[in-house]
């Protein structure tokens, strides 16, 4: 008998039928003797729809009201799931973030969890309930509803697993685990049996959408083991945990890519000390998450600075840049939206020299030109033309021996049809 936190993402609860399937799965776990807490996301694309509704009211809605609105998506799915479980004859109770004891800071739309007081969940479990918790939300120290950033239900699940000292945190989604690359881009990608926190964190930050980076960070900090697996089959997925010596570490664990960033280049800035400090302090004040940075000195005591950031922060960057221009004139700004970042991730790179050279050679052999490069001890990222992203991911995947013998086929079947075909659907 185990204490299990399970998380079901938007696709897994997209329709009444799918919510009923989740209910059956949870009941099966209960019948097997486990104590179960389920964290749910909003149904399907609900959160995106709520975002567009908000924009129809106000092009720059206040963050407080945005969190009030977005938190309703998860509140709908938690209540429906509890009802579906009750319909199967089992005790179930749903809790919002605050009822579950999730206390956050006051940063609307990107709140950090400060504290978890899980006594209500513990009591409900002791009373034999299957507990359902709304993902993605908490209550701020100031007493307002907050949300934890897009994809934040993963973080709720990991935090609760820590808060109630669960044996494992199972994250169910429409993919059956963590792959060595996005199989839709690299059809020879392979499913990993396990991946270390460090590698997973780099993969998530580099664009792998399987888990929210913050959730992985939280899991690493508190040693929560995550099992990323399919909501539509019983097959084991990928374990994300601390690397142990006998965990065979490939040099490169995976190739991640990200097409959501854009690049600004400020040309003809004064080439003085303090210029970069001023620019990036201003961007920070506008809460821009800058990713890569390159500064070049050019003729006549002038410098160019390029930086990349998530495309959805463009408006904030434009404001910050015009503010910088007022006290620190520069010639012009070039905007490049058609870029993609491709990253090679692997703890094993630390102890193997020559990986960067191999990666660059492979990209060059495939006539892929590099616009920017950045590295960490366990990651090498390059920015390429967006149109070359597929070629870049595939050639690196092959170069570092990650190709599997089987080819992933994109299927038009619904998850239910796939499950039925595999005869594993519950
Ligand atoms: N519903 C939220 C989102 O779409 C949170 C989540 O799914 O984890 O971002
Ligand atoms: Mg999600």
């Amino acid at each position: 008998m185990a204490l299990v936190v399970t998380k079901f993402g938007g696709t897994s609860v997209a329709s009444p039928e799918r919510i009923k399937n989740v209910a059956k799965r949870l009941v099966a776990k209960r019948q097997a003797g486990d104590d179960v807490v389920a964290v749910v996301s909003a149904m399907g694309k609900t959160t995106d729809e709520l975002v567009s509704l908000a924009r129809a009211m106000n092009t720059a809605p206040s963050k407080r009201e945005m969190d009030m609105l977005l938190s309703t998506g998860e509140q709908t799915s938690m209540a429906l799931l509890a009802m579906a479980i009750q319909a199967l004859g089992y005790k179930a109770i749903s809790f919002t973030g605050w009822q579950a004891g999730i206390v956050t800071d006051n940063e609307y739309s990107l709140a950090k969890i400060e504290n978890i007081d899980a006594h209500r969940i513990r009591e409900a479990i002791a009373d034999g309930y299957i507990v359902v918790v709304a993902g993605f939300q908490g209550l701020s120290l100031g007493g307002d509803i907050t949300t934890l950033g897009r994809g934040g239900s993963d973080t709720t699940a990991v935090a609760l697993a820590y808060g109630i000292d669960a044996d494992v945190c199972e994250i169910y989604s429409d993919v059956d685990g963590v792959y060595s690359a996005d199989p839709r881009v690299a059809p020879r990608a392979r499913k990993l049996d396990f991946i270390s926190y460090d590698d997973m964190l780099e993969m998530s930050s580099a664009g792998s959408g399987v888990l929210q980076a913050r959730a992985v960070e939280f899991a690493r900090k508190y040693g929560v083991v995550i099992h990323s697996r399919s909501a539509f089959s019983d097959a084991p997925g990928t374990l994300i945990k601390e690397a142990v010596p006998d965990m065979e570490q490939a040099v490169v664990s995976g190739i991640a890519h990200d097409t959501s960033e854009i690049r600004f280049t400020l040309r003809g800035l004064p080439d003085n000390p303090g210029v970069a400090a001023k620019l990036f302090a201003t961007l920070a004040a506008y809460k821009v998450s800058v990713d890569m940075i390159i500064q070049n000195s050019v003729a006549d005591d002038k410098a160019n600075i390029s930086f990349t950031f998530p495309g959805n922060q463009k408006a904030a960057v434009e404001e910050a840049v015009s503010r910088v221009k007022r006290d620190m004139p520069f010639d012009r700004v070039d905007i490049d939206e058609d870029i993609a970042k491709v990253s090679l991730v692997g703890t094993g790179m630390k102890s193997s020299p020559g990986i960067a050279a191999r990666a660059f050679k492979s990209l060059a052999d495939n006539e892929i030109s590099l616009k920017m490069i950045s590295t960490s001890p366990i990651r090498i990222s390059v920015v390429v033309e967006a149109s070359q992203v597929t070629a870049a991911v595939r050639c690196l995947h092959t170069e570092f021996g990650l190709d599997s013998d089987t080819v992933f086929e994109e299927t038009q079947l619904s998850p239910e049809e796939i499950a039925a075909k595999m005869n594993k659907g519950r």
Side-chain angles (χ1 to χ4, degrees):
M1 173 173 142
L3 174 56
V4 187
V5 172
T6 61
K7 180 253 167 179
F8 290 87
T11 318
S12 324
V13 294
S15 64
E17 264 334 292
R18 289 192 191 171
I19 293 178
K20 288 183 190 171
N21 279 336
V22 171
K24 282 186 204 150
R25 249 190 126 120
L26 297 173
V27 162
K29 276 194 187 293
R30 189 85 195 94
Q31 284 169 337
D34 290 340
D35 285 325
V36 189
V37 176
V39 173
V40 281
S41 290
M43 293 172 71
K45 300 258 170 267
T46 301
T47 309
D48 291 333
E49 286 158 17
L50 292 171
V51 170
S52 352
L53 267 179
R55 301 237 180 272
M57 296 303 121
N58 188 329
T59 48
S62 94
K63 290 193 164 175
R64 180 184 186 278
E65 300 312 322
M66 218 41 203
D67 281 6
M68 287 298 237
L69 180 69
L70 297 192
S71 61
T72 63
E74 273 68 15
Q75 206 169 320
T76 303
S77 43
M78 76 177 193
L80 293 176
L81 179 56
M83 293 172 192
I85 297 167
Q86 290 165 354
L88 296 171
Y90 281 75
K91 283 163 71 172
I93 184 167
S94 67
F95 292 132
T96 61
W98 69 266
Q99 289 173 319
I102 297 175
V103 180
T104 73
D105 62 13
N106 296 316
E107 190 75 50
Y108 300 118
S109 87
L110 211 57
K112 275 209 184 70
I113 296 177
E114 297 264 325
N115 187 29
I116 301 151
D117 171 6
H119 77 271
R120 269 193 94 169
I121 297 184
R122 287 179 194 279
E123 284 165 20
I125 292 172
D127 288 342
Y129 285 90
I130 295 177
V131 177
V132 183
V133 179
F136 175 57
Q137 56 174 267
L139 189 72
S140 72
L141 297 163
D144 277 335
I145 293 177
T146 50
T147 63
L148 309 179
R150 296 305 304 267
S153 301
D154 290 348
T155 301
T156 304
V158 172
L160 286 182
Y162 165 69
I164 62 173
D165 201 14
D167 297 296
V168 64
C169 177
E170 297 186 330
I171 300 204
Y172 290 86
S173 68
D174 52 347
V175 293
D176 53 6
V178 179
Y179 276 73
S180 55
D182 183 337
R184 289 163 304 184
V185 169
R188 289 201 178 272
R190 62 175 73 223
K191 192 182 84 192
L192 307 173
D193 293 332
F194 54 78
I195 183 169
S196 67
Y197 291 126
D198 289 344
D199 285 7
M200 190 64 231
L201 195 54
E202 292 283 355
M203 290 286 280
S204 291
S205 319
S208 154
V210 183
L211 291 172
Q212 196 205 30
R214 279 180 147 197
V216 182
E217 227 165 9
F218 199 106
R220 175 172 70 173
K221 189 159 168 203
Y222 296 105
V224 175
V225 175
I226 299 178
H227 185 183
S228 159
R229 56 189 305 189
S230 166
F232 305 105
S233 90
D234 286 333
T238 304
L239 286 179
I240 297 124
K241 56 183 190 178
E242 198 61 68
V244 289
D246 63 334
M247 202 157 125
E248 203 189 303
Q249 285 275 353
V251 176
V252 174
S253 304
I255 318 285
H257 73 280
D258 183 356
T259 51
S260 70
E261 294 195 342
I262 58 185
R263 177 172 75 162
F264 270 39
T265 302
L266 274 49
R267 298 199 185 273
L269 283 158
D271 195 5
N272 304 325
V275 170
K278 164 108 195 133
L279 169 62
F280 292 104
T282 310
L283 288 165
Y286 280 82
K287 304 228 183 288
V288 175
S289 328
V290 173
D291 185 9
M292 290 195 199
I293 300 172
I294 291 187
Q295 168 163 7
N296 302 316
S297 291
V298 288
D300 303 333
D301 296 334
K302 296 247 169 144
N304 297 342
I305 297 185
S306 298
F307 56 93
T308 61
F309 57 91
N312 61 8
Q313 299 184 339
K314 188 176 171 196
V317 173
E318 278 171 334
E319 268 183 57
V321 164
S322 52
R323 181 159 211 126
V324 166
K325 190 156 191 176
R326 263 184 263 150
D327 358 310
M328 206 170 65
F330 54 87
D331 298 342
R332 66 169 208 272
V333 47
D334 290 338
I335 302 176
D336 194 353
E337 310 219 11
D338 292 327
I339 58 165
K341 181 173 72 168
V342 176
S343 306
L344 223 65
V345 172
T347 309
M349 294 201 287
K350 263 197 274 201
S351 47
S352 315
I355 302 294
R358 240 172 98 188
F360 300 153
K361 167 134 197 339
S362 161
L363 291 161
D365 288 347
N366 287 275
E367 276 160 37
I368 296 163
S369 50
L370 310 183
K371 292 166 173 271
M372 293 173 105
I373 297 172
S374 83
T375 63
S376 85
I378 65 168
R379 177 183 48 78
I380 298 167
S381 298
V382 296
V383 170
V384 301
E385 201 77 61
S387 61
Q388 295 191 305
V389 64
T390 302
V393 171
R394 287 186 187 171
C395 81
L396 293 173
H397 199 266
T398 305
E399 172 66 30
F400 290 95
L402 298 171
D403 285 355
S404 100
D405 296 335
T406 52
V407 178
F408 177 87
E409 274 176 57
E410 181 107 63
T411 158
Q412 299 304 317
L413 297 179
S414 74
E416 286 83 5
E417 288 166 327
I418 297 172
K421 219 173 142 186
M422 293 169 76
N423 203 15
K424 279 180 178 165
R426 287 177 176 276

